[in-house]
Amino acid sequence: MKKKTSRSLMALLLVCVMAIALTACSKKGDTLTKEQYQEAVTKLTQDFADIQAKANDLDVNDKDAATKLLTELKKPLEDFKNVKAPKEFDEGHAKMQSGCQAMLDYLDIVIDAAGSDDPTSKLTESSTKIQEKVTAAVTDMSEGAQLLTKAGLTVS
């Protein structure tokens, strides 16, 4: 990957990490209590801080390591989609889930590009779709976080 494209990819990755830190994750199952849902937000924030620390040490020319890191980012998002939020958080949670799906779609595009023979061309070719997915993810997650806060959840 060219250095400029790699840096752009890392910048997008870091933006995504910050946006995703607003979401919550948990195991599949019953509806969470408000306290469990709040704990899930804190856990997810820590999970992404750990991944961000790994990203800071990443050699941008190591396609395998970049792909592995991007794949790791998907797990908390996929877990979030299985969370059953307390009723008072339904509206905000639905927005957050929509944002998570957009972020998963974005990560799939970038992972596909990273694994291609010419990642720079692949990213350039997909740039409009990447921008749409990132914009949708950030918008939905921001709106979801606002709704969750309005409903009484502490979102940081």
Side-chain angles (χ1 to χ4, degrees):
M1 252 190 268
K2 289 185 179 178
K3 200 170 197 171
K4 183 177 181 183
T5 301
S6 297
R7 285 187 182 159
S8 296
L9 177 62
M10 289 307 296
L12 275 175
L13 176 65
L14 294 176
V15 166
C16 294
V17 168
M18 290 184 288
I20 295 168
L22 298 174
T23 65
C25 69
S26 179
K27 294 179 181 173
K28 271 196 223 184
D30 297 331
T31 301
L32 300 178
T33 65
K34 180 178 178 177
E35 292 77 20
Q36 290 169 325
Y37 196 64
Q38 182 67 65
E39 288 172 12
V41 171
T42 303
K43 181 185 180 317
L44 184 67
T45 301
Q46 184 58 52
D47 289 346
F48 276 92
D50 294 345
I51 292 170
Q52 186 175 6
K54 290 179 188 177
N56 290 337
D57 295 331
L58 185 67
D59 175 2
V60 294
N61 295 312
D62 186 345
K63 286 181 7 176
D64 292 336
T67 300
K68 181 180 178 198
L69 183 65
L70 291 166
T71 302
E72 283 180 37
L73 284 171
K74 291 177 67 171
K75 173 97 172 89
L77 295 166
E78 291 165 345
D79 288 346
F80 176 79
K81 291 177 67 178
N82 295 316
V83 166
K84 293 182 183 175
K87 186 95 174 124
E88 68 259 37
F89 301 123
D90 280 351
E91 187 179 3
H93 184 69
K95 271 292 195 187
M96 299 296 276
Q97 285 179 310
S98 175
C100 284
Q101 185 58 57
M103 187 59 67
L104 286 165
D105 294 344
Y106 156 77
L107 288 169
D108 286 338
I109 293 166
V110 176
I111 289 167
D112 180 54
S116 72
D117 291 333
D118 187 1
T120 302
S121 293
K122 190 80 166 179
L123 285 171
T124 300
E125 173 185 313
S126 303
S127 64
T128 301
K129 190 177 274 189
I130 287 170
Q131 185 61 41
E132 288 171 2
K133 295 299 180 183
V134 170
T135 300
V138 171
T139 300
D140 286 353
M141 287 181 191
S142 294
E143 289 174 8
Q146 289 172 356
L147 290 166
L148 291 175
T149 300
K150 192 181 229 181
L153 189 73
T154 302
V155 180
S156 55

